[in-house]
Amino acid sequence: MQMQEMYEALGVQRDVYAYGEAVLAGLQERFAEIDRVAEQNQAKVIWAMQKNRVSAQCFAATTGYGYDDVGRDVLEKVYADAFHAEAALVRPQITCGTHALAVALSANLLPGDELLSPVGKPYDTLEEVIGIRQSPCSLKEYGVTYRQVDLTPEGGFDWEGIRAAINERTKLVTIQRSKGYQTRPTFSVEQIGELIAFVKSVKPDLICMVDNCYGEFVETIEPSDVGADMTVGSLIKNPGGGLAPIGGYIVGAKACVERCAYRLSAPGLGQEVGANLGVMPALYQGFFLAPTVVAGALKGAIFAANLYGKLGYRVVPDGAEPRYDIIQAVELGSPEAMVAFCTGIQAAAPVDSYVRPEPWPMPGYDSDVIMAAGAFVQGSSIELSADGPIRPPYAVYFQGGLTWYHAKLGILMSLQKMVEAGIVRL
Ligand SMILES: *Cc1c(COP(=O)(O)O)cnc(C)c1O
């Protein structure tokens, strides 16, 4: 069968396929650069695995207390080395990214300390962790105060505002790399390095934590290469490579990571307990695959930006901008277009492709939300997924794709559904 017939069998019509191919023709150089980054990151991961003598012994399941768990201990050394950090905490007992961030913050902040975000509002779920929104067990309840310095209108750092916000109580600075569901730019690792250097020039003993969600392996350096004391993320995003069924990581300075281990388990126990429950093969192999998986997701994001940009939609980032995370926003301008787009993403999935996504009132949001995801790991957003709140500017946030070809199919299918709904004419 010809390629185009294959796509037709999947439901992508001839004109949609041709439109996609025309867009792709202009992206070869960009894709080659992404492959070069992936190649460097692949080498970095293999080097870390070889250095720590990963062997079949590391893949054995442990239960109970998990004392002397070789697989767990070696995996943490592999993460530490790949991130060029002193120490790492990488565990299935860390349930998600928010949990990893909450552990890092609460382990390193004590009553009377102040937390500073110099990059504006943090990710939604952190509002409750910090206590910006009332929640039992927030940092605020434990006497940790919070201060925030917003970005400038152009999306840059407000240097003087940040200097003025640092006081004798400021203990920890939290920096979110990815824009998440905001409209601000995502920061490059280099920009994060400048910010860390600046806050430490004002107060040298500040602890700098970077929320690295969606950023891992997008560049050849990580926040841990530019002075971050803790770099934190989720294993069902980039570094799990799509295979990790659960988990989070914290890498960084030994003194900080050790405290995180005591917070996660218990004072006195720390990193010594925590059985691996048989997930080690997936965590190792996922980390091994992560550089190429991230490359595929990035190609999908760039393809989407160029395709929808060419059709006249506002896309953030635009088709030509450099990338520092895997998230692509497309402003579709109407609820119907959001539904059509997400219907296409869902229809392209290997799992649950027969399901039709519909807007629903999700807890914590002030408008209905639509989500498309047909994932092997529930909620995994390194797998192809799209979501967004049904409100102006009717933007969908699109991310992931375990392979570039799946991301490509998803985007073509989204366009197909837009065409079928009469929203787009090619
Ligand atoms: C996803 C995400 C989180 C939270 O991770 P969960 O695994 O969903 O809890 C935090 N910060 C950013 C920027 C994220 O993208």
Side-chain angles (χ1 to χ4, degrees), residues 247-272:
Y249 77 90
I250 302 167
V251 298
K254 191 160 181 282
C256 294
V257 173
E258 264 175 10
R259 289 192 67 90
C260 295
Y262 289 123
R263 181 78 293 152
L264 178 68
S265 58
L269 302 182
Q271 233 155 333
E272 305 293 318

Side-chain angles (χ1 to χ4, degrees), residues 95-101 122-126 176-181 184 211-215 232-237 247 325 327 379 381 399:
T95 55
C96 61
T98 305
H99 186 196
L101 290 159
Y123 194 75
D124 281 47
T125 55
L126 282 195
Q176 185 180 311
R177 176 172 173 181
S178 169
K179 65 180 171 302
Y181 298 138
R184 68 144 166 104
D211 175 351
N212 206 27
C213 282
Y214 288 129
V232 183
S234 163
L235 300 196
I236 64 167
K237 292 178 181 172
D325 67 13
I327 299 178
S381 48
Q399 67 267 314

Side-chain angles (χ1 to χ4, degrees), residues 5 7 10 64-65 104 115 131 161 173 204 235 265 305 311 376:
E5 290 166 38
Y7 276 101
L10 287 165
Y65 292 111
L115 167 66
V173 174
L235 300 196
S265 58
L311 287 166
F376 294 101

Side-chain angles (χ1 to χ4, degrees), residues 12-234:
V12 177
Q13 299 293 307
R14 189 176 289 249
D15 50 348
V16 169
Y17 176 75
Y19 195 85
E21 289 306 295
V23 170
L24 269 180
L27 295 177
Q28 294 318 308
E29 231 171 87
R30 196 80 196 278
F31 281 18
E33 177 54 31
I34 290 171
D35 288 335
R36 279 191 288 275
V37 171
E39 191 172 351
Q40 278 202 42
N41 284 327
Q42 183 73 82
K44 187 161 71 174
V45 169
I46 292 175
W47 169 79
M49 290 190 170
Q50 292 179 347
K51 178 174 178 227
N52 291 290
R53 305 174 67 97
V54 172
S55 68
Q57 203 193 348
C58 298
F59 306 146
T62 60
T63 55
Y65 292 111
Y67 292 135
D68 301 317
D69 186 326
V70 176
R72 178 197 68 206
D73 293 347
V74 170
L75 182 69
E76 289 181 336
K77 290 196 179 110
V78 167
Y79 261 73
D81 281 326
F83 281 87
H84 306 130
E86 286 174 9
L89 188 66
V90 188
R91 310 225 161 182
Q93 285 82 9
I94 302 178
T95 55
C96 61
T98 305
H99 186 196
L101 290 159
V103 166
L105 290 172
S106 53
N108 288 282
L109 287 160
L110 293 174
D113 289 340
E114 187 158 278
L115 167 66
L116 172 67
S117 171
V119 296
K121 185 183 107 50
Y123 194 75
D124 281 47
T125 55
L126 282 195
E127 292 186 354
E128 279 153 302
V129 171
I130 295 168
I132 301 169
R133 272 188 287 141
Q134 207 69 32
S135 173
C137 300
S138 68
L139 289 170
K140 190 177 172 191
E141 268 197 354
Y142 286 89
V144 174
T145 57
Y146 171 70
R147 202 179 279 257
Q148 173 177 317
V149 178
D150 288 333
L151 298 171
T152 63
E154 299 76 40
F157 303 130
D158 174 5
W159 299 111
E160 283 320 303
I162 295 167
R163 185 196 301 279
I166 296 172
N167 58 59
E168 66 288 346
R169 291 202 300 113
T170 313
K171 171 78 170 294
L172 197 153
V173 174
T174 179
I175 301 166
Q176 185 180 311
R177 176 172 173 181
S178 169
K179 65 180 171 302
Y181 298 138
Q182 290 173 266
T183 48
R184 68 144 166 104
T186 288
F187 304 122
S188 68
V189 172
E190 191 184 347
Q191 283 175 300
I192 290 171
E194 286 165 13
L195 181 54
I196 292 172
F198 177 79
V199 298
K200 291 201 177 197
S201 76
V202 178
K203 191 173 181 185
D205 58 354
L206 282 176
I207 297 169
C208 290
M209 181 191 86
V210 176
D211 175 351
N212 206 27
C213 282
Y214 288 129
E216 298 90 354
F217 297 130
V218 172
E219 299 181 67
T220 55
I221 53 171
E222 299 290 340
S224 44
D225 290 306
V226 295
D229 301 291
M230 288 187 286
T231 300
V232 183
S234 163

